[in-house]
């Protein structure tokens, strides 16, 4: 296959939590192997499990997060607060992640950001500065139904969501938020998703919808990497797989891979990326 001039990143694919942070979460239970494994498995499934496999292609460049989003959420502004901010104290159902007496100090916050957040984003900047990379793809997966602290709590979600910072047609809706790709290009990318994944969707229980900017229209990293004032900026987009496309219930929620589904989806993704490469190479950026 031809080289794809893209940077593919996954920010929530890891389930790793360092021991000292597990100790803050579990207290004395951090010495209980079963308790630790149960917590790690839970946090892995609360993230975007297996997205590093779903978004793999040998013909592109990759950067993957090495820590759980519940250590640091790399897809947030560095100073983003709140329940779903850069440092979370609850899961997406509102359950506390830490011991009752745990509190973040300013020192702890800065240490964690310095150790995990800053190196990841510095790596993205170095990669994006390469002249042979024309665009980026920010890979995620989403719960089949909107969680308690999501923008669409309780609502079923589409098979795929394409994220570009605009409205459902990919058009700009706010001067505060730029588009990561032009609207006409977003619609062409959506059509490619339909072409490559449509046959799979007909054989799944997931809604067949492939939507633009619904339920998510913005991503912190997408906006940063495509911002015109970023000297290394490139066009790109976020892509969310519905978890029910590749996971089935085995405990609490969708947490067991459906047999052979991940490699099947990945094969279709690799074909999709080949066509995306051609699309971005042909698009007249700056001349439209």
């Amino acid at each position: 296959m031809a080289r794809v001039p893209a940077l593919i990143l996954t920010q929530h694919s890891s389930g790793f939590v360092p021991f000292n942070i597990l100790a803050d979460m579990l207290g004395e239970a951090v010495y209980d192997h079963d308790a630790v494994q149960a917590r790690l498995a839970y946090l892995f499934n609360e993230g975007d499990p297996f997205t590093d496999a779903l978004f793999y292609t040998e013909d592109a460049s990759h950067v993957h997060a090495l820590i759980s989003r519940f250590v640091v959420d790399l897809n947030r502004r560095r100073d983003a607060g709140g329940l779903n901010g850069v440092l979370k104290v609850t899961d997406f159902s509102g359950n506390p992640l830490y011991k009752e007496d745990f509190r973040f100090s300013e020192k702890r916050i800065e240490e964690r950001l310095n150790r995990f957040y800053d190196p990841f984003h510095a790596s993205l900047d170095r990669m994006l500065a390469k002249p042979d990379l024309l665009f980026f793809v920010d890979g995620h997966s989403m719960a089949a139904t909107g969680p308690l602290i999501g923008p669409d709590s309780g609502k079923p979600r589409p098979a795929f969501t394409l994220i570009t910072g605009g409205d459902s047609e990919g058009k700009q809706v706010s001067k505060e938020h730029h588009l990561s790709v032009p609207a006409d290009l977003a619609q062409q990318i959506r059509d490619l998703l339909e072409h490559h994944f449509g046959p799979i969707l007909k054989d799944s229980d997931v809604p067949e919808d492939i939507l633009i900017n619904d339920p998510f229209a913005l991503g912190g990293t997408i906006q940063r990497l495509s911002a015109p004032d970023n000297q290394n900026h490139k066009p790109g987009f976020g892509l969310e797989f519905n978890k029910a496309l590749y996971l089935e219930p085995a405990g609490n929620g969708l947490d067991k891979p459906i047999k052979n589904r991940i490699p099947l989806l990945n094969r279709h993704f690799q074909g999709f990326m080949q066509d995306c490469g051609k699309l971005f190479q042909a698009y007249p950026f700056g001349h439209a």
Side-chain angles (χ1 to χ4, degrees), residues 38-218:
R39 175 57 65 93
L40 291 176
Y42 176 71
L43 294 180
F44 175 68
N45 286 316
E46 278 281 284
D48 295 355
F50 307 107
T51 46
D52 49 354
L54 287 170
F55 287 88
Y56 169 73
T57 173
E58 63 180 340
D59 305 303
S61 299
H62 297 79
V63 175
H64 302 298
L66 301 179
I67 45 88
S68 165
R69 71 183 305 176
F70 297 103
V71 174
V72 172
D73 194 330
L74 302 166
N75 195 33
R76 300 291 183 269
R77 296 189 325 274
R78 197 179 189 277
D79 61 351
L83 288 177
N84 202 10
V86 67
L87 297 181
K88 305 183 196 313
V89 294
T90 71
D91 64 14
F92 294 118
S93 297
N95 301 311
L97 294 172
Y98 294 90
K99 299 176 298 183
E100 186 176 352
D101 61 349
F102 176 82
R103 298 290 184 276
F104 272 117
S105 65
E106 289 299 320
K107 181 180 179 181
R108 272 181 168 173
I109 291 172
E110 197 58 29
E111 284 179 347
R112 200 177 290 193
L113 294 173
N114 285 337
R115 183 178 177 189
F116 301 113
Y117 188 95
D118 295 340
F120 179 83
H121 281 274
S123 180
L124 293 182
D125 288 336
R126 287 194 300 272
M127 292 295 292
L128 214 63
K130 294 184 176 183
D132 59 329
L133 296 183
L134 300 183
F135 68 104
F136 67 86
V137 178
D138 183 13
H140 296 270
S141 65
M142 56 186 171
T145 302
L148 179 65
I149 63 173
D152 56 342
S153 180
K155 297 180 180 179
R157 285 175 166 172
F160 293 95
T161 292
L162 179 67
I163 304 171
T164 67
D167 64 12
S168 61
E169 295 181 344
K171 298 176 181 178
Q172 188 168 6
V173 293
S174 169
K175 292 182 179 179
E176 297 179 4
H177 302 297
H178 64 273
L179 295 176
S180 62
V181 295
D184 62 328
L185 184 54
Q187 292 168 23
Q188 292 178 66
I189 296 168
R190 189 241 169 250
D191 290 343
L192 285 181
L193 287 168
E194 173 66 35
H195 172 72
H196 285 279
F197 291 98
I200 298 178
L201 300 185
K202 295 184 186 304
D203 293 328
S204 77
D205 295 329
V206 176
E208 295 183 24
D209 303 309
I210 299 175
L211 303 183
I212 300 175
N213 298 317
D214 184 3
F216 306 107
L218 293 170

Side-chain angles (χ1 to χ4, degrees), residues 214-227:
D214 184 3
F216 306 107
L218 293 170
T221 301
I222 299 168
Q223 284 284 293
R224 191 181 77 76
L225 296 184
S226 61

Side-chain angles (χ1 to χ4, degrees), residues 231-249:
Q231 64 176 351
N232 298 319
H233 77 277
K234 298 279 173 68
F237 57 89
L239 183 60
E240 296 265 5
F241 278 74
N242 189 312
K243 288 183 180 180
L245 284 171
Y246 65 97
L247 298 176
E248 60 186 357

